[in-house]
Amino acid sequence: MNQITSKIAGTGSALPKTILTNKELETLVDTSDAWIQERTGIKERRIAKNQENTSDLAIAAAQKALKNANLSANDIDFIIVATFTPDSIMPNTACLVQAALHADHAVCFDLNAACSGFLFALQTAHAYICSGLARHILIIGSENISKTLNWNDRKTCILFGDGAGAVVLSISDSSKHALLDFETGSDGTRSNVLTLSGFQKSFLQMDGQEVFKFAVRKVPEIILTLTQRNHLCPEEIDWYFLHQANARILTSVAKRLSLPLDKFPSNLSSYGNTSAASIPILLDEYHNSHKLLPGQKIILSGFGGGLTWGSCLISW
Ligand code: ACO
């Protein structure tokens, strides 16, 4: 009898319709399309309407992921929403998703680890499935960051966007199609680097250079830990789906690992940094366009406020 493990059975994503371009930002703050593109790789981002909530985006992404996995809401045992921008402190956003989907048997909770939230939710769901507590879990990264931004602060308002990505994690008995290993961590002594003291009451604040330095050091480190522990070399990994924070972070990580940049998918130019949603949105785009082939080795890697970081090795 093979050991129980978990696999990604379906993906989905949802983005607000409204596009905010760099050119439009030039009219709000002292910036330029050229500066933003050169320093971040971002051309435009999606912005949720006033009445469009994190749960609305999460529900739309979740419906697509369920359909893609050929499952019904009734099959779902847990719903975990990774977000630092929930609709409200209480009820949690996962319960709002449950009600909309009629996922009546699901246990629902939110998880906040900023831009590492999706990775932490994935690891939590993997542990539930491996322990026999669940067969199918809906994991959603969903953010409404635009409502937390100071639109007079050019150092932050140009970077972020809104959106949601979802995966269904299902039980698997084959390590050929499975989540193979995780490497996660946190450093609360550096909590001041990225802060939002109260959603809808304060603004997101960030020491951009500190986050940048942390990311380009920590991400290669955890990728090497994961690959070495699994007797793989970085070249044997087909795709690296990194949190989409800045194109220069992707370039720098690829360079430090001596890997070609085309192993690092990116949609930063269209969506900016969507925090916990960025990895599942990108994964859905690649899954939908049939770029992910069975048995390919994939590494997901998130990093962000907390500080927090996490990577997952997958055999697709
Ligand atoms: N337009 C024009 N000029 C700007 C802008 C702007 N939008 N923002 C800053 N500048 C200016 C600065 O004022 C500074 O001018 P000065 O030299 O006269 O003082 C100059 O540009 C350089 O500023 P830096 O902060 O040194 O710019 P840097 O190259 O570091 O880029 C950035 C800043 C893009 C924020 C970068 O540091 C970065 O991407 N960091 C990582 C951020 C990140 O990943 N955050 C998300 C974490 S995810 C999460 O957990 C939510």
Side-chain angles (χ1 to χ4, degrees), residues 66 107 151 209:
L66 274 178
V107 176
W151 289 97
Q209 286 188 3

Side-chain angles (χ1 to χ4, degrees), residues 31 35 39 114-115 154 194 206 208-209 211 245-246 248 273 304-305:
T31 191
W35 191 95
R39 304 307 292 164
C115 303
R154 68 178 183 175
L194 251 162
M206 178 182 74
Q209 286 188 3
V211 180
N246 186 318
R248 287 188 294 131
N273 177 349

Side-chain angles (χ1 to χ4, degrees), residues 16-22 24 43-47 270:
K17 289 207 165 50
T18 309
I19 295 173
L20 180 66
T21 63
N22 291 348
E24 289 168 287
K43 291 183 182 163
E44 57 188 42
R45 68 286 292 141
R46 301 297 179 92
I47 303 293
S270 310

Side-chain angles (χ1 to χ4, degrees), residues 25 29-33 35-36 39-40 42 84 113-116 143 145 153-160 194 204 206-215 243-249 273-276 303-308:
L25 275 171
V29 284
D30 180 15
T31 191
S32 68
D33 177 36
W35 191 95
I36 300 173
R39 304 307 292 164
T40 72
I42 301 166
F84 76 91
C115 303
S116 309
E143 302 284 13
I145 306 173
D153 175 13
R154 68 178 183 175
K155 289 190 171 179
T156 53
C157 75
I158 56 134
L159 294 172
F160 297 92
L194 251 162
L204 182 147
M206 178 182 74
D207 183 337
Q209 286 188 3
E210 276 305 306
V211 180
F212 195 95
K213 281 189 275 181
F214 151 69
H243 167 51
Q244 302 288 293
N246 186 318
R248 287 188 294 131
I249 293 178
N273 177 349
T274 56
S275 189
F303 49 90
L307 296 173
T308 55

Side-chain angles (χ1 to χ4, degrees), residues 8-11 62-76 136 168 170 287:
I8 292 179
T11 64
Q63 283 168 332
K64 290 182 191 164
L66 274 178
K67 192 167 178 222
N68 187 242
N70 276 322
L71 290 172
S72 79
N74 249 326
D75 297 317
I76 297 299
H136 303 289
V168 176
S170 290
H287 181 43

